[in-house]
């Protein structure tokens, strides 16, 4: 009996490619989609093998014919030879492009990449006005919200402005990933090639970001993005994206995966679901007495206490009106969560929350909350019902 199993070569990359397509296309039937996806992969592999077998022999014959023609025809000048050399370089470049999928198939592993740690920091100078526009464009980008302030500042330093014209292709499906893009302004259509035709599957309208999947997983571009009008983008190069974003997420995953497993709310999730939550976690620290949530504000995130403690305060009422006096109704410590009530009910914050001592919280953005915590919704709704019953006994209607 074997003590361990050896993972077949290529399995990891194959499954990662499938996962990327599932996340991008969100099929309703995973099994049926898997059959279609892996059939296409198999056909691509067969086509590549057939192409390689056809070009191996003729390439050598062409070289022999070129040599014979040059030797037997003295009228070929040095300039002609230079042109032939240029055509050979172009042909070699085309051959490399035709093998792009194979080159990209090996997924980027941040744990094995130590070179980026010693690379010099990339800085593209910006005016104060440009940096302000860049900060405004990046403030709601999910993958940036998990960065520390120093890392986020380094990302802003490394980004550069890209002005685009109508019908300009920003990225093309099948190309290698070079940059990650954040939209400052403009409308951009998303096209996916299917059965030989380009089909528009969506659009970005003056906000959002794209291009991260090809950089994170070293896969070809999954779609074509075309500008529909004059627009402005901010781009982050591949090496900096790996060093600051991907490696940061890998370190954060190692740091928080054990903690997430101990959070009672998340125990009902599969391991893969918990790891997705780790990838979108932000971290915020608060000083003693600092207000984390303000009663009546619009909800934009969900909190899990990593260390320290928080107290939940609600303003009391007189004759149906808030009188400004806050009363403590609950406390949350390590592993407990708060801020879900307003997100689940889609209403303003029902209470204020303050740090008790130095406190660190893990934060999940509202979009990630809705996308990843669906399986936990029944638990949260049940807890909310009990919570509201307790508050009703103290304050009456808290809506």
């Amino acid at each position: 009996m074997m003590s361990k199993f050896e993972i077949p070569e290529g399995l990891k990359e194959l499954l990662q490619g499938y996962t990327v397509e599932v996340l991008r296309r969100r099929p309703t039937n995973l099994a049926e989609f898997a059959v279609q996806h892996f059939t296409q992969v198999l056909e691509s592999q067969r086509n590549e093998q057939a192409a390689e077998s056809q070009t191996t022999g003729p390439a050598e014959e062409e070289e022999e014919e070129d040599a014979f023609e040059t030797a037997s025809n003295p009228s070929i000048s040095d300039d002609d030879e230079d042109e032939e050399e240029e055509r050979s370089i172009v042909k070699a470049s085309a051959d490399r492009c035709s093998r792009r999928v194979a080159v990209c198939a090996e997924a980027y592993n941040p744990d094995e990449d130590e070179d980026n740690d010693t690379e010099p920091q990339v800085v593209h100078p910006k005016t104060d006005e440009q940096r302000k526009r860049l900060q405004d464009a990046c403030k709601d980008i999910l993958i940036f919200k998990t960065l520390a302030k120093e890392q986020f500042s380094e990302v802003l330093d490394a980004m550069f402005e890209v002005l685009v014209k109508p019908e300009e292709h920003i990225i093309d499906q099948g190309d290698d990933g070079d940059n990650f893009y954040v939209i400052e302004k403009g409308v951009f259509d998303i096209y996916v090639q299917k059965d030989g035709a380009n089909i528009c599957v969506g659009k970005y309208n003056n906000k959002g970001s794209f291009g991260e999947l090809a950089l994170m997983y070293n896969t070809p571009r999954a779609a074509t993005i075309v500008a529909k009008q004059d627009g402005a983008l901010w781009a982050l190069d591949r090496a900096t994206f790996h060093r600051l974003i991907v490696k940061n997420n890998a370190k954060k995953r190692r740091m928080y995966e054990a903690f997430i497993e101990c959070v009672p709310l998340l125990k009902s999730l599969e391991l893969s679901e918990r790891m997705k939550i780790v990838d979108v976690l932000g971290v915020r620290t608060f000083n003693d007495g600092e207000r984390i949530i303000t009663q009546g504000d619009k909800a934009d995130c969900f909190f899990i206490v990593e260390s320290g403690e928080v107290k939940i305060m609600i303003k009391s009422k007189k004759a149906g009106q808030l009188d400004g006096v806050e009363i403590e109704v609950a406390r949350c410590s390590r592993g407990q969560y708060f801020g879900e009530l307003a997100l689940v009910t889609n209403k303003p914050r029902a209470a204020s929350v303050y740090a008790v001592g130095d406190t660190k919280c893990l934060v999940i953005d509202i979009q990630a909350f809705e996308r990843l915590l669906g399986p936990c919704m029944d638990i949260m709704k049940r807890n909310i019902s009990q919570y509201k019953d307790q508050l009703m006994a103290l304050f009456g209607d808290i809506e």
Side-chain angles (χ1 to χ4, degrees):
M1 182 177 180
M2 296 179 63
S3 59
K4 63 180 181 179
F5 296 97
E6 182 177 351
I7 299 177
E9 183 179 355
L11 176 61
K12 179 180 176 181
E13 292 77 13
L14 193 65
L15 295 179
Q16 283 180 331
Y18 171 66
T19 302
V20 169
E21 289 301 300
V22 168
L23 294 175
R24 183 172 68 85
R25 297 174 180 266
R26 300 186 182 279
T28 55
N29 189 320
L30 291 177
E32 181 179 349
F33 182 75
V35 172
Q36 296 173 354
H37 173 77
F38 290 120
T39 299
Q40 292 176 352
V41 171
L42 182 60
E43 290 178 354
S44 297
Q45 291 176 345
R46 287 174 175 170
N47 290 338
E48 288 177 9
Q49 291 173 354
E52 289 179 1
S53 63
Q54 291 174 0
T55 58
T56 301
E60 296 174 353
E61 293 175 3
E62 289 174 4
E63 291 176 2
E64 292 176 359
E65 290 173 0
D66 290 344
F68 175 79
E69 183 177 355
T70 302
S72 60
N73 190 350
S75 64
I76 296 179
S77 65
D78 292 339
D79 290 339
D80 293 330
E81 291 178 357
D82 290 340
E83 291 178 4
E84 286 295 324
E85 182 177 356
E86 290 176 2
R87 283 196 290 269
S88 298
I89 294 173
V90 171
K91 181 178 183 297
S93 299
D95 289 341
R96 282 196 296 273
C97 290
S98 69
R99 294 192 295 271
R100 181 179 292 121
V101 173
V103 171
C104 288
E106 185 177 354
Y108 172 70
N109 187 344
D111 294 327
E112 296 176 356
D113 184 3
E114 300 297 337
D115 295 335
N116 282 339
D117 291 334
T118 58
E119 288 186 359
Q121 181 178 339
V122 177
V123 177
H124 292 279
K126 302 172 184 66
T127 64
D128 292 341
E129 184 269 340
Q130 282 181 312
R131 195 171 184 89
K132 175 63 168 58
R133 289 192 287 112
L134 174 57
Q135 287 176 321
D136 290 341
C138 292
K139 66 182 181 180
D140 293 323
I141 302 303
L142 185 60
I143 63 173
F144 292 160
K145 290 187 176 183
T146 66
L147 298 176
K149 290 182 180 180
E150 298 78 9
Q151 292 171 318
F152 182 57
S153 179
E154 192 172 341
V155 165
L156 296 183
D157 287 340
M159 297 187 80
F160 56 95
E161 191 172 18
V162 179
L163 301 178
V164 299
K165 298 294 184 182
E167 303 305 319
E168 182 176 343
H169 284 222
I170 315 305
I171 61 176
D172 286 295
Q173 184 174 349
D175 281 358
D176 287 344
D178 52 358
N179 297 317
F180 167 69
Y181 295 94
V182 173
I183 299 169
E184 180 185 340
K185 64 179 181 180
V187 178
F188 301 84
D189 283 345
I190 308 167
Y191 291 94
V192 174
Q193 193 171 62
K194 186 175 182 180
D195 298 329
N198 285 325
I199 301 173
C200 184
V201 297
K203 69 171 54 181
Y204 296 100
N205 192 350
N206 287 290
K207 63 178 181 179
S209 61
F210 55 87
E212 72 275 15
L213 290 181
L215 303 186
M216 293 176 71
Y217 299 104
N218 272 21
T219 56
R221 295 295 195 187
T224 297
I225 308 294
V226 181
K228 301 308 294 179
Q229 60 187 45
D230 289 335
L233 301 166
W234 291 94
L236 182 66
D237 69 271
R238 180 191 191 97
T240 306
F241 184 91
H242 280 170
R243 181 168 58 86
L244 294 178
I245 308 298
V246 181
K247 295 195 75 172
N248 172 69
N249 279 350
K251 292 177 182 177
K252 185 180 63 177
R253 174 173 290 194
R254 291 193 297 269
M255 183 183 303
Y256 287 117
E257 60 184 3
F259 172 73
I260 288 295
E261 288 178 1
C262 298
V263 176
L265 172 68
L266 306 179
K267 285 185 176 179
S268 62
L269 297 178
E270 298 291 338
L271 176 61
S272 60
E273 293 172 322
R274 290 199 296 270
M275 290 305 97
K276 290 176 184 177
I277 290 175
V278 171
D279 285 340
V280 300
L281 286 177
V283 180
R284 294 187 192 172
T285 57
F286 304 93
N287 299 322
D288 182 34
E290 186 175 350
R291 184 161 55 191
I292 303 171
I293 288 177
T294 301
Q295 185 173 345
D297 280 359
K298 183 180 179 180
D300 60 354
C301 56
F302 165 79
F303 298 84
I304 301 173
V305 180
E306 182 189 353
S307 63
E309 190 177 25
V310 302
K311 59 182 178 181
I312 300 172
M313 311 282 286
I314 291 183
K315 292 180 181 178
S316 59
K317 290 182 179 180
K318 286 184 178 179
Q321 299 295 320
L322 298 177
D323 64 7
V325 178
E326 292 185 328
I327 299 176
E328 182 177 332
V329 295
R331 292 203 176 199
C332 295
S333 56
R334 178 178 170 83
Q336 295 180 307
Y337 61 90
F338 61 94
E340 82 288 358
L341 175 59
L343 297 181
V344 173
T345 61
N346 197 29
K347 294 181 178 180
R349 297 292 194 187
S352 295
V353 181
Y354 298 86
V356 179
D358 293 337
T359 301
K360 181 187 290 187
C361 293
L362 305 182
V363 185
I364 299 177
D365 176 89
I366 184 171
Q367 289 88 0
F369 176 88
E370 294 172 347
R371 178 165 52 92
L372 299 177
L373 288 178
C376 300
M377 205 60 70
D378 288 340
I379 298 175
M380 284 188 283
K381 287 180 178 178
R382 186 166 62 248
N383 291 341
I384 286 172
S385 178
Q386 297 172 357
Y387 174 64
K388 291 175 70 173
D389 288 343
Q390 295 171 356
L391 295 181
M392 286 282 285
L394 292 173
F395 302 102
D397 187 9
I398 65 166
E399 299 301 333

